[in-house]
Amino acid sequence: MTLQIGVIGTGAIGQDHIRRITQALSGARVVAVNDINPQQARDTVARYQLDAIVHTDAHALIADPAVQALLVTSWGPTHEEFVLAAIAKGKPVFCEKPLAVTAEGCRRIVDAEIAHGKRLVQVGFMRPYDAGYRALKEVITSGRIGAPLMLHCAHRNPSVGDSYTTPMAITDTLIHELDVLRWLLDDDYVSAQVVFPRKTSHASSHLADPQIVLLETTRGVRIDVEIFVNCQYGYDIQCSVVGESGVANLPEPASVLLRSDARLGTTILTDWKQRFIDAYDVELQGFINGIRDGQLTGPSAWDGYAAAVAADACVKAQETRQVEAISMGERPAFYPR
């Protein structure tokens, strides 16, 4: 049976997911689309040759009986409204980050899903689906390096636009580490601190870049994450886990080792889409398969809430230059680890 999906938001990520469902994945098809710009929605239907209805109202799409599941890829501040509406209709929903623009909004979604009595929400954190991170987690859970003690991480971009601000280093960039490191360690955060090294000359006048975020988990693991969004040389994601008896590093993306022009080297990627393109395929196929199997297993609404709470503490730490507590309350039994 083919899952019939409605897509709310036909911008870049929405179109990419439509392409993915139409051309790369199995078990689903797009039957309805909506966008704040109706012409863009119509153009998307034509571009991908979809047999799909264009709804001018997102709530009409959610209520459409032909739509069995939803992808929410619209503007971030609309996510909470549309996800809550999907839950009210009992329809599974894949929501790109952020789940909501506030931790309180994420908590409302968590409470609504628990009240419904079954998991319906998957959040678009793709890194747990990346082959490198999965290999790293397997090493950790196998015990081959002993208990993790420290993590040294980096999230580097070649450059960012002038509209990128200091808090966005947390809400748009670090947010991926905040999610994947919880998953990697099966642990939660208890505190955050942000320190600011010497500023790069390549950053805008209003942007503090680079930044270093220091996190502590409930088990006492210490994490440092370098955020450097004007590093110039490429898109570079690093994660080194220091255990009691060994060190495990996130694998580098596959690249041909080239001897040429009296040099020996490999290529460094420059675009996040190149780095994680396969993970996007795997996560959305996982959502489709989870609906088919009757149980979603990807990042949950609770994971979205946890990331939002941690991000709020990090943004506060940027402002205060102090260690800030992170407190989410007890994990509901509804969301098993």
Side-chain angles (χ1 to χ4, degrees):
M1 179 175 170
T2 301
L3 181 68
Q4 299 188 156
I5 293 180
V7 179
I8 302 174
T10 57
I13 189 65
Q15 289 191 36
D16 202 35
H17 282 323
I18 289 170
R19 175 200 58 76
R20 193 166 277 116
I21 293 169
T22 304
Q23 301 175 7
L25 307 183
S26 63
R29 68 187 184 98
V30 176
V31 299
V33 299
N34 162 266
D35 194 89
I36 193 170
N37 180 347
Q39 187 57 50
Q40 180 166 283
R42 289 190 288 269
D43 290 345
T44 300
V45 168
R47 180 176 300 114
Y48 295 99
Q49 300 179 329
L50 303 176
D51 181 15
I53 296 172
V54 176
H55 284 281
T56 57
D57 178 73
H59 288 279
L61 182 149
I62 294 168
D64 187 338
V67 173
Q68 299 170 315
L70 296 148
L71 263 62
V72 174
T73 53
S74 51
W75 186 44
T78 66
H79 288 187
E80 179 186 352
E81 174 188 347
F82 297 150
V83 172
L84 287 173
I87 293 171
K89 292 293 184 181
K91 295 185 178 183
V93 53
F94 179 97
C95 181
E96 277 298 342
K97 69 171 187 64
L99 179 61
V101 294
T102 65
E104 292 79 10
C106 292
R107 184 71 211 210
R108 285 190 287 270
I109 291 171
V110 165
D111 291 342
E113 187 176 44
I114 292 173
H116 176 76
K118 181 181 179 180
R119 263 203 66 182
L120 293 175
V121 179
Q122 180 170 324
V123 184
F125 287 119
M126 92 306 261
R127 288 201 191 176
Y129 293 95
D130 174 68
Y133 274 108
R134 289 191 170 196
L136 184 58
K137 184 174 178 67
E138 193 280 326
V139 169
I140 294 170
T141 56
S142 72
R144 276 180 277 170
I145 62 169
L149 307 175
M150 298 174 286
L151 271 65
H152 307 299
C153 308
H155 190 145
R156 303 183 184 120
N157 290 66
S159 62
V160 292
D162 193 59
S163 62
Y164 190 98
T165 63
T166 296
M168 288 172 68
I170 305 299
T171 58
D172 282 37
T173 300
L174 181 75
I175 194 72
H176 290 286
E177 275 78 16
L178 291 176
D179 174 71
V180 77
L181 300 182
R182 283 182 65 249
W183 169 82
L184 199 64
L185 296 171
D186 192 22
D187 204 352
D188 287 314
Y189 308 119
V190 295
S191 71
Q193 182 180 7
V194 181
V195 296
F196 298 94
R198 176 180 173 179
K199 178 176 174 174
T200 174
S201 62
H202 297 291
S204 302
S205 60
H206 58 267
L207 173 62
D209 185 44
Q211 304 177 32
I212 299 173
V213 178
L214 306 173
L215 300 162
E216 183 181 5
T217 75
T218 57
R219 296 193 183 106
V221 178
R222 290 286 186 168
I223 301 169
D224 57 85
V225 185
E226 169 204 319
I227 307 166
F228 189 8
V229 294
N230 288 283
C231 78
Q232 304 299 299
Y233 72 85
Y235 180 74
D236 192 8
I237 303 299
Q238 300 291 325
C239 181
S240 179
V241 182
V242 180
E244 294 172 303
S245 56
V247 178
N249 292 324
L250 181 69
E252 294 286 348
S255 178
V256 172
L257 182 64
L258 181 64
R259 287 174 166 84
S260 178
D261 297 324
R263 296 177 184 274
L264 173 65
T266 58
T267 300
I268 295 176
L269 299 176
T270 59
D271 187 276
W272 58 268
K273 290 182 181 178
Q274 296 171 309
R275 174 63 179 82
F276 290 110
I277 187 66
D278 292 339
Y280 281 98
D281 290 349
V282 177
E283 72 163 346
L284 197 51
Q285 187 67 64
F287 174 69
I288 295 167
N289 294 349
I291 296 172
R292 178 200 64 198
D293 297 339
Q295 181 62 56
L296 295 181
T297 58
S300 67
W302 180 257
D303 295 320
Y305 170 67
V309 171
D312 284 351
C314 290
V315 171
K316 185 177 180 182
Q318 285 179 325
E319 298 166 354
T320 65
R321 310 292 179 98
Q322 302 294 318
V323 177
E324 298 294 341
I326 300 175
S327 177
M328 300 184 302
E330 187 175 351
R331 184 188 188 101
F334 184 84
Y335 300 101
R337 289 194 180 277

